[in-house]
Amino acid sequence: GHVRKLLCEATKLGLLRQYKQQGDRITCYYTSFEKVFAIAGLEDIGPIAAVCMDDLSELNILATEIEAQNLQSLSLYQRQREEIKAQEAKGKTQNQTQIIRPSDLLHPCEIPARVLAKGDRFLYCESDFAFYGGSQEGISRRRGISVSTVGRHLSNKYRLESAPVRNHRAGMTPIIKKQLAERLPLLKGMPAKLCREDGLFFAHSDWFKPHCNVYSLNHRLIACKRRRAKISGEIDNESLLFDAGSPEFLDNNDCLYVLPSEELKESIDYLLLKNQILKSKSPRA
């Protein structure tokens, strides 16, 4: 009874085209991805990744990981573009990049160039280091969750402690990450109180400014350029509007987009006026 109620509700909303029941088996015919996207009222598609079905048991943490990896990749790409433009402005060809990828930064046995030292939490870097990464505030905005929740999802202490209820998070792998810290040599001799008020911290005989975390995440992100372009085109088209609460939309599952009554009236008036103008200009027999 409850399953049938959910199926009927999904069909009315347009999430399912129809469903058929044969004995104990129910076959669901899903609607298009574009239709579901429009019904949800979303304006942008987030990152898409291919994941293992077994990992869906911790879907919230998995979504945060994918968002963090995507934001880090976008930041890295933007940093590379800035480096290329800077080299072109100087009339030089880029032979070797100064940007260090996360796999090299987080390698346990290597200390890359412009990295002073490695700690348990921080990577202490020179001021000319090419910083990049996605902040937890940016991840929380994209995910629609609080910053503290993002911090828990990306915290090994939280991930490695199984929940007391139903033993959730049991068997989760730890996340490899380090926080970048920028050395500020010009602040030597400054009052410690002023520096700490600005969020700086003292280590290795210098003041450092904390930057974003760098994560070692290897989810297979999928671009889906054609699908994104199709959905963006439908969103930008002003005629592709619908009212999910209208009876026409609920009764007709094959029809997604219904013009609002005001816009429909304006369109009809425009066509009638255009028809009268064409009749007046046409030669009479």
Side-chain angles (χ1 to χ4, degrees), residues 230-263:
K230 185 176 181 181
I231 293 177
S232 298
E234 291 182 352
I235 293 175
D236 295 338
N237 193 341
E238 294 180 357
S239 64
L240 299 181
L241 299 174
F242 70 95
D243 184 7
S246 63
E248 296 84 357
F249 178 79
L250 296 178
D251 294 338
N252 186 4
N253 293 325
D254 295 330
C255 179
L256 169 60
Y257 300 106
V258 179
L259 284 173
S261 58
E262 295 181 358
E263 187 174 345

Side-chain angles (χ1 to χ4, degrees), residues 144-158:
I145 57 180
S146 65
V147 179
S148 59
T149 303
V150 173
R152 285 197 302 271
H153 288 174
L154 301 176
S155 170
N156 284 327
K157 182 179 180 180
Y158 175 79

Side-chain angles (χ1 to χ4, degrees), residues 9 21 118 172 204 221 223 236 258 263 265 270 272 277:
E9 187 69 21
Q21 182 176 359
K118 287 185 177 183
M172 287 203 67
H204 299 280
L221 301 180
D236 295 338
V258 179
E263 187 174 345
K265 183 178 181 299
Y270 171 75
L272 291 175
I277 295 174

Side-chain angles (χ1 to χ4, degrees), residues 5-19:
K5 182 180 179 180
L6 294 177
L7 290 174
C8 292
E9 187 69 21
T11 305
K12 288 181 180 180
L13 291 174
L15 301 177
L16 296 177
R17 289 188 286 115
Q18 60 177 337
Y19 66 92

Side-chain angles (χ1 to χ4, degrees), residues 24-88:
D24 296 335
R25 183 184 295 271
I26 298 177
T27 304
C28 297
Y29 298 88
Y30 293 100
T31 187
S32 65
F33 181 75
E34 290 79 7
K35 185 173 182 179
V36 175
F37 194 84
I39 292 172
L42 301 177
E43 298 180 356
D44 186 22
I45 306 179
I48 301 174
V51 299
C52 180
M53 292 293 293
D54 296 336
D55 296 335
L56 295 180
S57 59
E58 302 296 341
L59 183 58
N60 289 332
I61 298 178
L62 181 64
T64 303
E65 288 182 6
I66 294 173
E67 194 67 70
Q69 180 179 343
N70 179 67
L71 198 59
Q72 180 174 277
S73 299
L74 293 176
S75 175
L76 181 61
Y77 174 76
Q78 181 65 26
R79 200 72 175 85
Q80 290 172 341
R81 295 294 300 173
E82 293 175 357
E83 185 182 46
I84 292 174
K85 288 182 180 180
Q87 293 292 333
E88 290 177 351

Side-chain angles (χ1 to χ4, degrees), residues 174-230:
I175 188 171
I176 302 175
K177 64 176 182 178
K178 293 286 185 182
Q179 186 172 2
L180 301 177
E182 178 184 359
R183 176 174 171 264
L184 302 175
L186 299 179
L187 295 184
K188 278 191 174 181
M190 291 291 292
K193 183 178 180 181
L194 294 178
C195 293
R196 290 194 174 91
E197 287 178 354
D198 292 335
L200 309 181
F201 66 95
F202 192 79
H204 299 280
S205 303
D206 277 302
W207 288 101
F208 285 85
K209 176 184 177 181
H211 285 263
C212 298
N213 288 322
V214 176
Y215 303 96
S216 177
L217 297 168
N218 298 312
H219 296 293
R220 187 162 67 90
L221 301 180
I222 304 175
C224 295
K225 294 182 180 179
R226 295 182 61 183
R227 179 62 59 84
R228 293 175 187 273
K230 185 176 181 181

